[in-house]
Coordinates of all heavy atoms in Angstrom, one line a residue:
M206 N 144.0 -195.5 -38.1 CA 144.7 -194.8 -37.1 C 145.5 -193.7 -37.8 O 146.2 -193.9 -38.8 CB 145.7 -195.8 -36.4 CG 146.5 -195.2 -35.4 SD 145.7 -194.8 -33.8 CE 144.9 -196.3 -33.4
T207 N 145.5 -192.5 -37.2 CA 146.3 -191.4 -37.6 C 147.3 -191.1 -36.6 O 147.1 -191.1 -35.4 CB 145.3 -190.1 -37.7 OG1 144.3 -190.4 -38.7 CG2 146.1 -188.9 -38.2
F208 N 148.5 -190.9 -37.1 CA 149.7 -190.5 -36.2 C 150.1 -189.0 -36.5 O 150.2 -188.6 -37.6 CB 150.9 -191.4 -36.5 CG 150.7 -192.8 -36.1 CD1 150.2 -193.8 -37.0 CD2 151.0 -193.2 -34.8 CE1 150.1 -195.1 -36.7 CE2 150.9 -194.5 -34.4 CZ 150.4 -195.5 -35.4
V209 N 150.2 -188.3 -35.4 CA 150.7 -186.9 -35.4 C 152.0 -186.8 -34.8 O 152.2 -187.2 -33.6 CB 149.6 -186.0 -34.7 CG1 150.2 -184.6 -34.7 CG2 148.3 -186.1 -35.4
N210 N 153.0 -186.4 -35.5 CA 154.4 -186.3 -35.0 C 154.6 -185.0 -34.2 O 154.7 -184.0 -34.7 CB 155.4 -186.4 -36.1 CG 156.8 -186.4 -35.6 OD1 157.1 -186.3 -34.4 ND2 157.7 -186.6 -36.6
C211 N 154.7 -185.2 -32.8 CA 154.9 -184.1 -31.9 C 156.4 -184.0 -31.5 O 156.6 -183.6 -30.3 CB 154.0 -184.2 -30.7 SG 152.2 -184.0 -31.2
T212 N 157.3 -184.4 -32.4 CA 158.7 -184.2 -32.1 C 159.3 -183.3 -33.2 O 158.6 -183.1 -34.2 CB 159.5 -185.6 -32.2 OG1 159.7 -186.0 -33.6 CG2 158.8 -186.7 -31.4
P213 N 160.5 -182.8 -33.0 CA 161.0 -181.9 -34.0 C 161.7 -182.6 -35.2 O 162.3 -182.0 -36.0 CB 162.0 -181.1 -33.2 CG 162.5 -182.0 -32.1 CD 161.2 -182.7 -31.8
H214 N 161.6 -183.9 -35.2 CA 162.4 -184.7 -36.2 C 161.4 -185.6 -37.0 O 160.4 -186.1 -36.4 CB 163.4 -185.7 -35.6 CG 164.2 -185.0 -34.6 ND1 165.3 -184.1 -34.9 CD2 164.2 -185.0 -33.2 CE1 165.9 -183.6 -33.9 NE2 165.2 -184.1 -32.7
A215 N 161.7 -185.8 -38.3 CA 160.9 -186.7 -39.1 C 161.1 -188.2 -38.5 O 162.3 -188.5 -38.2 CB 161.3 -186.7 -40.6
I216 N 160.1 -189.0 -38.5 CA 160.2 -190.3 -38.0 C 159.9 -191.2 -39.2 O 158.9 -191.1 -39.8 CB 159.2 -190.6 -36.9 CG1 159.4 -189.7 -35.7 CG2 159.3 -192.1 -36.4 CD1 160.7 -189.6 -35.0
M217 N 160.9 -192.1 -39.5 CA 160.7 -193.1 -40.6 C 160.6 -194.5 -40.0 O 161.4 -194.9 -39.2 CB 161.9 -193.0 -41.5 CG 161.7 -194.0 -42.7 SD 163.1 -194.1 -43.8 CE 163.2 -192.6 -44.5
L218 N 159.6 -195.2 -40.5 CA 159.4 -196.5 -40.2 C 160.2 -197.4 -41.2 O 160.4 -197.0 -42.4 CB 157.9 -196.9 -40.2 CG 157.1 -196.2 -39.1 CD1 155.7 -196.8 -39.2 CD2 157.7 -196.3 -37.7
N219 N 160.5 -198.7 -40.8 CA 161.2 -199.6 -41.7 C 160.5 -199.8 -43.1 O 161.1 -200.1 -44.0 CB 161.4 -200.9 -41.0 CG 162.5 -200.7 -39.9 OD1 163.0 -199.7 -39.6 ND2 162.6 -201.8 -39.2
D220 N 159.2 -199.7 -43.1 CA 158.4 -199.9 -44.3 C 158.4 -198.7 -45.2 O 157.8 -198.7 -46.3 CB 157.0 -200.3 -44.0 CG 156.1 -199.3 -43.3 OD1 156.5 -198.1 -43.2 OD2 155.0 -199.6 -42.9
G221 N 159.1 -197.7 -44.8 CA 159.2 -196.4 -45.7 C 158.3 -195.3 -45.4 O 158.5 -194.2 -45.9
R222 N 157.3 -195.5 -44.5 CA 156.4 -194.4 -44.2 C 157.2 -193.4 -43.3 O 158.1 -193.8 -42.5 CB 155.3 -194.9 -43.3 CG 154.2 -195.6 -44.1 CD 153.0 -196.0 -43.2 NE 153.5 -197.2 -42.4 CZ 152.8 -197.5 -41.3 NH1 151.7 -196.9 -40.9 NH2 153.2 -198.5 -40.6
V223 N 156.9 -192.1 -43.6 CA 157.6 -191.0 -42.9 C 156.6 -190.1 -42.2 O 155.6 -189.7 -42.9 CB 158.5 -190.2 -43.8 CG1 159.2 -189.0 -43.1 CG2 159.6 -191.1 -44.5
F224 N 156.8 -189.8 -41.0 CA 155.9 -188.9 -40.2 C 156.7 -187.6 -40.0 O 157.6 -187.6 -39.2 CB 155.5 -189.6 -38.9 CG 154.7 -190.8 -39.1 CD1 155.4 -192.1 -39.1 CD2 153.3 -190.8 -39.4 CE1 154.7 -193.2 -39.4 CE2 152.7 -192.0 -39.6 CZ 153.3 -193.2 -39.6
E225 N 156.4 -186.6 -40.8 CA 157.0 -185.3 -40.7 C 156.6 -184.6 -39.4 O 155.4 -184.8 -38.9 CB 156.7 -184.4 -41.9 CG 157.2 -185.0 -43.2 CD 158.8 -185.0 -43.3 OE1 159.4 -184.2 -42.5 OE2 159.3 -185.8 -44.1
P226 N 157.4 -183.8 -38.8 CA 157.0 -183.0 -37.6 C 155.7 -182.2 -37.9 O 155.6 -181.6 -39.0 CB 158.2 -182.0 -37.4 CG 159.3 -182.7 -38.1 CD 158.8 -183.4 -39.3
S227 N 154.9 -182.2 -37.0 CA 153.5 -181.4 -37.2 C 153.7 -179.9 -36.9 O 152.8 -179.2 -37.1 CB 152.5 -182.0 -36.2 OG 152.9 -181.7 -34.9
G228 N 154.8 -179.6 -36.2 CA 155.0 -178.2 -35.8 C 154.6 -178.0 -34.3 O 154.9 -177.0 -33.7
V229 N 154.0 -179.0 -33.8 CA 153.7 -179.0 -32.3 C 154.8 -179.9 -31.7 O 155.0 -181.1 -32.1 CB 152.3 -179.7 -32.1 CG1 152.0 -179.8 -30.6 CG2 151.3 -178.8 -32.7
I230 N 155.5 -179.4 -30.7 CA 156.5 -180.2 -30.0 C 156.1 -180.4 -28.6 O 155.9 -179.5 -27.8 CB 157.8 -179.5 -30.0 CG1 158.3 -179.2 -31.5 CG2 158.9 -180.2 -29.3 CD1 159.6 -178.5 -31.7
A231 N 156.0 -181.7 -28.2 CA 155.6 -182.1 -26.9 C 156.9 -182.2 -26.0 O 157.9 -182.8 -26.5 CB 154.9 -183.5 -27.0
R232 N 156.8 -181.7 -24.9 CA 157.9 -181.7 -23.9 C 157.3 -182.0 -22.5 O 156.1 -182.0 -22.3 CB 158.5 -180.3 -23.9 CG 159.0 -179.8 -25.2 CD 160.4 -179.3 -25.2 NE 160.9 -178.7 -26.4 CZ 161.6 -179.4 -27.3 NH1 162.0 -180.6 -27.1 NH2 162.0 -178.8 -28.4
V233 N 158.3 -182.2 -21.6 CA 157.9 -182.5 -20.2 C 158.9 -181.7 -19.3 O 160.1 -181.7 -19.7 CB 157.8 -184.0 -19.8 CG1 159.2 -184.7 -20.0 CG2 157.3 -184.2 -18.4
S234 N 158.3 -181.1 -18.3 CA 159.3 -180.4 -17.4 C 159.9 -181.5 -16.5 O 159.3 -182.5 -16.3 CB 158.5 -179.3 -16.6 OG 157.5 -179.9 -15.8
S235 N 161.1 -181.2 -16.0 CA 161.7 -182.1 -15.1 C 162.5 -181.4 -14.0 O 163.0 -180.2 -14.2 CB 162.5 -183.1 -15.8 OG 163.6 -182.5 -16.5
S236 N 162.7 -182.1 -12.9 CA 163.6 -181.5 -11.9 C 164.3 -182.8 -11.3 O 164.0 -183.9 -11.7 CB 162.8 -180.8 -10.8 OG 161.8 -181.7 -10.2
F237 N 165.2 -182.5 -10.4 CA 166.0 -183.5 -9.8 C 166.0 -183.5 -8.3 O 166.0 -182.4 -7.7 CB 167.5 -183.5 -10.3 CG 167.6 -183.6 -11.8 CD1 167.5 -182.5 -12.7 CD2 167.8 -184.9 -12.3 CE1 167.6 -182.7 -14.0 CE2 167.9 -185.1 -13.7 CZ 167.8 -184.0 -14.6
T238 N 166.0 -184.6 -7.7 CA 166.1 -184.7 -6.2 C 167.6 -184.3 -5.8 O 168.4 -184.3 -6.7 CB 165.8 -186.1 -5.7 OG1 166.7 -187.0 -6.2 CG2 164.3 -186.5 -6.1
N239 N 167.8 -184.2 -4.5 CA 169.1 -184.0 -4.0 C 169.9 -185.3 -4.2 O 169.3 -186.4 -4.2 CB 169.1 -183.7 -2.5 CG 168.5 -182.3 -2.3 OD1 168.7 -181.4 -3.1 ND2 167.8 -182.1 -1.2
F240 N 171.2 -185.2 -4.3 CA 172.1 -186.4 -4.4 C 172.2 -187.0 -3.1 O 172.4 -186.4 -2.0 CB 173.4 -185.9 -4.9 CG 173.5 -185.7 -6.4 CD1 173.3 -184.5 -6.9 CD2 173.6 -186.8 -7.3 CE1 173.3 -184.2 -8.3 CE2 173.7 -186.5 -8.7 CZ 173.5 -185.2 -9.2
A241 N 172.2 -188.4 -3.1 CA 172.5 -189.2 -1.9 C 173.4 -190.3 -2.5 O 173.0 -191.1 -3.4 CB 171.2 -189.8 -1.3
D242 N 174.6 -190.4 -1.9 CA 175.6 -191.4 -2.4 C 175.9 -191.2 -3.9 O 175.9 -192.2 -4.7 CB 175.1 -192.8 -2.1 CG 175.1 -193.1 -0.6 OD1 175.9 -192.6 0.1 OD2 174.2 -193.8 -0.2
D243 N 175.9 -189.9 -4.3 CA 176.2 -189.6 -5.7 C 175.0 -189.9 -6.7 O 175.2 -190.0 -7.9 CB 177.5 -190.2 -6.2 CG 178.7 -189.8 -5.4 OD1 178.7 -188.6 -5.1 OD2 179.6 -190.6 -5.1
I244 N 173.9 -190.2 -6.2 CA 172.8 -190.6 -7.1 C 171.6 -189.7 -6.8 O 171.2 -189.4 -5.6 CB 172.3 -192.1 -6.8 CG1 173.5 -193.0 -7.1 CG2 171.2 -192.5 -7.7 CD1 173.4 -194.4 -6.7
C245 N 171.0 -189.2 -7.8 CA 169.7 -188.5 -7.7 C 168.6 -189.1 -8.6 O 168.9 -190.0 -9.3 CB 169.9 -187.0 -8.0 SG 170.2 -186.7 -9.8
K246 N 167.5 -188.6 -8.4 CA 166.3 -189.1 -9.2 C 165.7 -187.9 -10.0 O 165.6 -186.8 -9.5 CB 165.3 -189.7 -8.3 CG 164.1 -190.3 -9.0 CD 163.2 -191.0 -8.0 CE 162.0 -191.6 -8.8 NZ 161.1 -192.4 -7.9
V247 N 165.4 -188.2 -11.2 CA 164.6 -187.2 -12.0 C 163.2 -187.3 -11.7 O 162.6 -188.4 -11.5 CB 164.8 -187.4 -13.6 CG1 164.3 -188.8 -14.1 CG2 164.3 -186.2 -14.4
V248 N 162.5 -186.1 -11.5 CA 161.1 -186.0 -11.2 C 160.5 -185.3 -12.3 O 160.8 -184.2 -12.7 CB 160.9 -185.3 -9.9 CG1 159.4 -185.2 -9.6 CG2 161.6 -185.9 -8.7
Y249 N 159.5 -186.0 -13.0 CA 158.9 -185.4 -14.2 C 157.7 -184.5 -13.7 O 157.0 -184.8 -12.7 CB 158.3 -186.5 -15.2 CG 159.4 -187.2 -15.8 CD1 159.6 -188.6 -15.6 CD2 160.3 -186.6 -16.6 CE1 160.6 -189.3 -16.1 CE2 161.3 -187.4 -17.2 CZ 161.4 -188.7 -17.0 OH 162.5 -189.4 -17.5
G250 N 157.5 -183.4 -14.4 CA 156.4 -182.5 -14.1 C 155.4 -182.6 -15.2 O 155.0 -183.6 -15.7
D251 N 154.9 -181.4 -15.5 CA 153.7 -181.3 -16.5 C 154.2 -181.5 -17.9 O 155.3 -181.1 -18.3 CB 153.1 -179.8 -16.3 CG 152.6 -179.6 -15.0 OD1 152.0 -180.5 -14.4 OD2 152.5 -178.4 -14.5
L252 N 153.3 -182.1 -18.6 CA 153.5 -182.2 -20.1 C 153.2 -180.8 -20.7 O 152.3 -180.1 -20.3 CB 152.5 -183.2 -20.7 CG 152.7 -184.7 -20.2 CD1 151.6 -185.5 -20.9 CD2 154.1 -185.1 -20.4
I253 N 154.0 -180.5 -21.7 CA 153.9 -179.2 -22.3 C 153.7 -179.4 -23.8 O 154.5 -180.1 -24.4 CB 155.2 -178.3 -22.1 CG1 155.3 -178.1 -20.6 CG2 155.1 -177.0 -22.8 CD1 156.8 -177.7 -20.2
G254 N 152.7 -178.7 -24.5 CA 152.6 -178.8 -25.9 C 151.9 -180.2 -26.4 O 151.9 -180.4 -27.6
V255 N 151.4 -180.9 -25.5 CA 150.8 -182.2 -25.9 C 149.3 -181.9 -26.2 O 148.5 -181.4 -25.4 CB 150.9 -183.3 -24.9 CG1 150.1 -184.6 -25.3 CG2 152.4 -183.6 -24.5
P256 N 148.8 -182.2 -27.4 CA 147.5 -181.9 -27.8 C 146.5 -182.7 -26.9 O 146.8 -183.8 -26.5 CB 147.4 -182.4 -29.3 CG 148.8 -182.2 -29.8 CD 149.6 -182.7 -28.6
A257 N 145.3 -182.3 -26.9 CA 144.3 -183.1 -26.2 C 143.9 -184.3 -26.9 O 144.1 -184.4 -28.1 CB 143.0 -182.2 -26.1
P258 N 143.6 -185.4 -26.2 CA 143.2 -186.6 -26.8 C 142.2 -186.4 -27.9 O 141.3 -185.6 -27.7 CB 142.7 -187.5 -25.7 CG 143.4 -186.9 -24.5 CD 143.4 -185.5 -24.7
K259 N 142.3 -187.2 -29.0 CA 141.3 -187.1 -30.1 C 141.1 -188.5 -30.6 O 142.1 -189.3 -30.8 CB 141.9 -186.2 -31.2 CG 140.9 -186.0 -32.3 CD 141.5 -184.9 -33.3 CE 140.5 -184.7 -34.4 NZ 141.1 -183.8 -35.4
E260 N 139.8 -188.9 -30.7 CA 139.5 -190.3 -31.2 C 140.3 -190.6 -32.5 O 140.3 -189.9 -33.5 CB 138.0 -190.3 -31.5 CG 137.5 -191.7 -32.0 CD 136.9 -192.6 -30.9 OE1 136.6 -192.0 -29.8 OE2 136.8 -193.7 -31.2
G261 N 140.9 -191.8 -32.5 CA 141.6 -192.3 -33.7 C 142.9 -191.7 -34.0 O 143.5 -192.0 -34.9
V262 N 143.5 -190.9 -33.0 CA 144.7 -190.3 -33.2 C 145.7 -190.7 -32.1 O 145.5 -190.7 -31.0 CB 144.7 -188.7 -33.1 CG1 146.0 -188.1 -33.2 CG2 143.7 -188.2 -34.2
K263 N 146.9 -191.0 -32.6 CA 148.0 -191.4 -31.7 C 149.1 -190.2 -31.9 O 149.4 -189.9 -33.1 CB 148.7 -192.7 -32.0 CG 147.8 -193.8 -31.7 CD 147.6 -194.2 -30.3 CE 146.8 -195.4 -30.1 NZ 146.4 -195.7 -28.8
Y264 N 149.6 -189.7 -30.8 CA 150.6 -188.6 -30.9 C 152.0 -189.2 -30.7 O 152.2 -189.9 -29.7 CB 150.3 -187.5 -29.9 CG 149.0 -186.9 -30.1 CD1 147.9 -187.2 -29.4 CD2 148.9 -185.9 -31.2 CE1 146.6 -186.6 -29.6 CE2 147.7 -185.3 -31.4 CZ 146.5 -185.7 -30.6 OH 145.3 -185.1 -30.9
I265 N 152.9 -189.0 -31.6 CA 154.3 -189.5 -31.5 C 155.0 -188.4 -30.7 O 155.1 -187.3 -31.0 CB 154.9 -189.6 -32.9 CG1 154.1 -190.5 -33.7 CG2 156.4 -190.1 -32.7 CD1 154.5 -190.5 -35.2
V266 N 155.6 -188.9 -29.5 CA 156.4 -188.0 -28.6 C 157.7 -188.7 -28.3 O 158.0 -189.8 -28.7 CB 155.6 -187.8 -27.3 CG1 154.2 -187.1 -27.6 CG2 155.3 -189.1 -26.6
S267 N 158.6 -188.0 -27.7 CA 159.8 -188.6 -27.2 C 159.7 -189.6 -26.2 O 158.5 -189.6 -25.5 CB 160.7 -187.5 -26.6 OG 160.2 -187.0 -25.5
A268 N 160.6 -190.4 -26.0 CA 160.5 -191.5 -24.9 C 160.4 -190.9 -23.6 O 159.7 -191.4 -22.7 CB 161.8 -192.4 -25.0
M269 N 161.1 -189.7 -23.3 CA 160.9 -189.0 -22.1 C 159.5 -188.6 -21.8 O 159.0 -188.7 -20.7 CB 161.9 -187.8 -22.0 CG 161.9 -187.2 -20.6 SD 162.9 -185.7 -20.5 CE 164.5 -186.4 -20.6
V270 N 158.9 -188.0 -22.8 CA 157.5 -187.5 -22.6 C 156.6 -188.7 -22.4 O 155.7 -188.7 -21.5 CB 157.0 -186.7 -23.9 CG1 155.5 -186.4 -23.8 CG2 157.8 -185.4 -24.0
L271 N 156.8 -189.8 -23.1 CA 156.0 -191.0 -22.9 C 156.2 -191.5 -21.5 O 155.2 -192.0 -20.9 CB 156.4 -192.1 -24.0 CG 155.6 -193.4 -23.9 CD1 154.2 -193.1 -24.2 CD2 156.3 -194.4 -24.9
A272 N 157.4 -191.6 -21.0 CA 157.7 -192.1 -19.7 C 157.0 -191.2 -18.6 O 156.6 -191.8 -17.5 CB 159.1 -192.2 -19.4
A273 N 156.8 -190.0 -18.9 CA 156.2 -189.1 -17.8 C 154.7 -189.1 -17.9 O 154.0 -188.4 -17.0 CB 156.7 -187.7 -18.1
S274 N 154.1 -189.9 -18.8 CA 152.7 -189.8 -19.0 C 152.1 -191.2 -18.8 O 152.7 -192.2 -19.1 CB 152.4 -189.2 -20.4 OG 150.9 -189.2 -20.6
D275 N 150.7 -191.2 -18.6 CA 150.0 -192.4 -18.6 C 148.9 -192.4 -19.6 O 148.0 -193.3 -19.6 CB 149.4 -192.8 -17.2 CG 148.5 -191.7 -16.7 OD1 148.3 -190.7 -17.4 OD2 147.9 -191.9 -15.6
R276 N 149.0 -191.5 -20.6 CA 148.0 -191.4 -21.6 C 148.1 -192.5 -22.6 O 149.2 -192.8 -23.1 CB 148.2 -190.0 -22.3 CG 147.6 -188.9 -21.5 CD 147.7 -187.5 -22.2 NE 147.3 -187.5 -23.6 CZ 147.2 -186.4 -24.3 NH1 147.4 -185.2 -23.7 NH2 146.9 -186.4 -25.5
A277 N 147.1 -193.1 -23.0 CA 147.0 -194.2 -23.9 C 147.2 -193.8 -25.4 O 147.5 -194.6 -26.2 CB 145.7 -195.0 -23.8
D278 N 147.1 -192.4 -25.6 CA 147.2 -192.0 -27.0 C 148.6 -191.5 -27.4 O 148.8 -191.0 -28.5 CB 146.2 -190.9 -27.3 CG 146.4 -189.6 -26.4 OD1 147.0 -189.8 -25.3 OD2 146.0 -188.5 -26.8
L279 N 149.6 -191.7 -26.5 CA 151.0 -191.3 -26.8 C 151.8 -192.5 -27.1 O 151.7 -193.5 -26.4 CB 151.6 -190.6 -25.6 CG 150.9 -189.3 -25.1 CD1 151.6 -188.6 -24.0 CD2 150.6 -188.3 -26.2
V280 N 152.7 -192.3 -28.1 CA 153.6 -193.4 -28.5 C 155.0 -192.8 -28.8 O 155.0 -191.6 -29.0 CB 153.1 -194.2 -29.8 CG1 151.8 -194.9 -29.5 CG2 153.0 -193.3 -31.0
A281 N 156.0 -193.6 -28.7 CA 157.3 -193.1 -29.1 C 158.0 -194.1 -30.0 O 157.6 -195.2 -30.0 CB 158.2 -193.0 -27.7
P282 N 158.9 -193.6 -30.8 CA 159.6 -194.5 -31.7 C 160.4 -195.6 -31.0 O 160.9 -195.4 -29.9 CB 160.7 -193.5 -32.4 CG 160.1 -192.1 -32.3 CD 159.4 -192.2 -30.9
A283 N 160.3 -196.8 -31.5 CA 160.8 -198.0 -30.9 C 162.4 -198.0 -31.2 O 162.9 -198.9 -31.8 CB 160.2 -199.2 -31.3
T284 N 163.1 -197.0 -30.7 CA 164.5 -196.9 -31.0 C 165.4 -198.0 -30.3 O 166.5 -198.2 -30.8 CB 165.1 -195.5 -30.5 OG1 164.8 -195.4 -29.1 CG2 164.4 -194.4 -31.3
G285 N 164.9 -198.7 -29.3 CA 165.7 -199.8 -28.7 C 165.4 -201.1 -29.3 O 166.0 -202.1 -28.9
H286 N 164.5 -201.2 -30.3 CA 164.2 -202.5 -30.9 C 165.3 -203.0 -31.7 O 166.0 -202.3 -32.4 CB 162.8 -202.3 -31.7 CG 162.2 -203.5 -32.0 ND1 162.5 -204.4 -33.1 CD2 161.1 -204.2 -31.4 CE1 161.8 -205.4 -33.1 NE2 160.9 -205.3 -32.1
K287 N 165.4 -204.4 -31.7 CA 166.4 -205.0 -32.5 C 166.3 -204.8 -34.0 O 167.3 -205.0 -34.8 CB 166.5 -206.5 -32.2 CG 165.2 -207.3 -32.7 CD 165.3 -208.8 -32.4 CE 164.2 -209.5 -32.8 NZ 163.9 -209.4 -34.3
D288 N 165.1 -204.5 -34.5 CA 164.9 -204.3 -35.9 C 165.1 -202.9 -36.4 O 164.7 -202.6 -37.5 CB 163.5 -204.8 -36.3 CG 163.4 -206.4 -36.1 OD1 164.5 -207.0 -36.2 OD2 162.3 -206.8 -35.9
C289 N 165.7 -202.0 -35.6 CA 165.9 -200.6 -36.0 C 167.0 -200.7 -37.1 O 167.8 -201.6 -37.1 CB 166.5 -199.8 -35.0 SG 165.3 -199.3 -33.7
I290 N 166.9 -199.9 -38.1 CA 167.9 -199.8 -39.2 C 168.8 -198.7 -38.9 O 168.4 -197.5 -38.6 CB 167.2 -199.6 -40.6 CG1 166.4 -200.9 -40.9 CG2 168.3 -199.4 -41.7 CD1 165.5 -200.8 -42.1
R291 N 170.1 -199.0 -39.0 CA 171.1 -198.0 -38.6 C 172.1 -197.7 -39.7 O 172.3 -198.6 -40.6 CB 172.0 -198.4 -37.4 CG 171.1 -198.5 -36.1 CD 171.9 -199.1 -35.0 NE 171.1 -199.2 -33.8 CZ 170.9 -198.2 -32.9 NH1 171.5 -197.1 -33.0 NH2 170.1 -198.5 -31.8
D292 N 172.7 -196.5 -39.8 CA 173.7 -196.2 -40.9 C 175.0 -196.8 -40.4 O 175.1 -197.4 -39.3 CB 173.6 -194.7 -41.2 CG 174.1 -193.8 -40.1 OD1 174.6 -194.3 -39.1 OD2 173.8 -192.6 -40.2
D293 N 176.0 -196.5 -41.3 CA 177.4 -197.0 -41.0 C 178.0 -196.4 -39.7 O 178.9 -197.0 -39.0 CB 178.3 -196.7 -42.1 CG 178.0 -197.5 -43.4 OD1 177.3 -198.6 -43.2 OD2 178.4 -197.1 -44.5
A294 N 177.5 -195.2 -39.3 CA 177.9 -194.6 -38.0 C 177.2 -195.1 -36.8 O 177.4 -194.6 -35.7 CB 177.9 -193.1 -38.2
G295 N 176.1 -195.9 -37.0 CA 175.3 -196.4 -35.9 C 174.1 -195.6 -35.6 O 173.4 -195.9 -34.6
H296 N 173.9 -194.5 -36.4 CA 172.7 -193.7 -36.1 C 171.5 -194.4 -36.7 O 171.5 -195.0 -37.7 CB 172.9 -192.3 -36.7 CG 174.1 -191.6 -36.2 ND1 175.2 -191.3 -37.0 CD2 174.3 -191.1 -35.0 CE1 176.1 -190.7 -36.3 NE2 175.6 -190.5 -35.0
I297 N 170.4 -194.2 -35.9 CA 169.1 -194.8 -36.4 C 168.6 -194.1 -37.6 O 168.5 -192.9 -37.6 CB 168.1 -194.7 -35.2 CG1 168.5 -195.7 -34.1 CG2 166.7 -195.2 -35.7 CD1 167.6 -195.6 -32.9
V298 N 168.3 -194.9 -38.6 CA 167.7 -194.4 -39.9 C 166.2 -194.6 -39.9 O 165.4 -193.7 -40.2 CB 168.3 -195.1 -41.1 CG1 167.6 -194.7 -42.4 CG2 169.8 -194.9 -41.2
S299 N 165.7 -195.7 -39.3 CA 164.3 -196.0 -39.3 C 164.0 -197.0 -38.1 O 165.0 -197.7 -37.7 CB 163.8 -196.5 -40.6 OG 164.3 -197.8 -40.9
V300 N 162.8 -197.0 -37.8 CA 162.4 -197.9 -36.6 C 161.3 -198.8 -37.1 O 160.6 -198.5 -38.1 CB 161.9 -197.1 -35.4 CG1 163.1 -196.3 -34.7 CG2 160.7 -196.2 -35.7
P301 N 161.1 -200.0 -36.5 CA 160.0 -200.9 -36.9 C 158.6 -200.4 -36.6 O 157.7 -200.9 -37.1 CB 160.4 -202.2 -36.3 CG 161.1 -201.8 -35.1 CD 161.9 -200.5 -35.4
G302 N 158.5 -199.5 -35.6 CA 157.2 -199.1 -35.2 C 157.4 -198.2 -33.9 O 158.4 -197.6 -33.7
F303 N 156.3 -198.2 -33.1 CA 156.2 -197.4 -31.9 C 156.1 -198.2 -30.7 O 155.6 -199.4 -30.7 CB 155.1 -196.4 -32.1 CG 155.2 -195.5 -33.3 CD1 154.4 -195.8 -34.4 CD2 156.1 -194.5 -33.3 CE1 154.5 -195.0 -35.5 CE2 156.2 -193.7 -34.5 CZ 155.4 -193.9 -35.6
V304 N 156.4 -197.7 -29.5 CA 156.2 -198.3 -28.3 C 155.2 -197.4 -27.5 O 155.0 -196.2 -27.7 CB 157.4 -198.4 -27.4 CG1 158.4 -199.4 -28.0 CG2 158.1 -197.1 -27.1
H305 N 154.5 -198.1 -26.6 CA 153.5 -197.4 -25.7 C 153.8 -197.7 -24.3 O 154.2 -198.7 -23.9 CB 152.1 -197.7 -26.0 CG 151.1 -197.2 -25.0 ND1 150.8 -195.9 -24.9 CD2 150.5 -197.8 -24.0 CE1 150.0 -195.7 -23.8 NE2 149.8 -196.9 -23.3

């Protein structure tokens, strides 16, 4: 399996592997519904900058891009996982893997 990092940040796994940014940044357009009782809903639009699917390749994208897509080849860092490693300030240093 090959991973291509389509985020602007290096992604480090707990085992020490680092996935440097590929230079391609995946994004998704979004808009919002009107507010009702002070609540609105985000509506995701088109994916922008996501490469075409390729056999044996998983594309690392943000959680927002992943949520807006149903593509099986997109993954996001497992930042909510209990095994994330954090620094003294609570910032994520590494993740145990990816979510789909």
Side-chain angles (χ1 to χ4, degrees):
M206 180 71 55
T207 299
F208 290 95
V209 176
N210 184 356
C211 295
T212 76
H214 312 286
I216 306 296
M217 181 186 293
L218 298 187
N219 292 356
D220 66 9
R222 286 182 288 163
V223 177
F224 299 92
E225 296 293 339
S227 66
V229 174
I230 299 176
R232 304 231 186 259
V233 62
S234 63
S235 62
S236 61
F237 296 88
T238 62
N239 293 325
F240 282 94
D242 296 323
D243 299 321
I244 300 170
C245 72
K246 182 175 181 175
V247 65
V248 179
Y249 295 115
D251 295 330
L252 297 180
I253 302 162
V255 179
K259 187 175 178 182
E260 178 100 20
V262 175
K263 297 285 187 191
Y264 297 102
I265 304 167
V266 298
S267 69
M269 184 183 295
V270 171
L271 182 63
S274 174
D275 59 0
R276 284 182 45 174
D278 61 335
L279 301 185
V280 297
T284 57
H286 196 278
K287 67 177 180 60
D288 292 334
C289 286
I290 296 175
R291 296 177 181 271
D292 63 17
D293 291 338
H296 300 112
I297 294 174
V298 174
S299 66
V300 295
F303 302 104
V304 296
H305 169 72

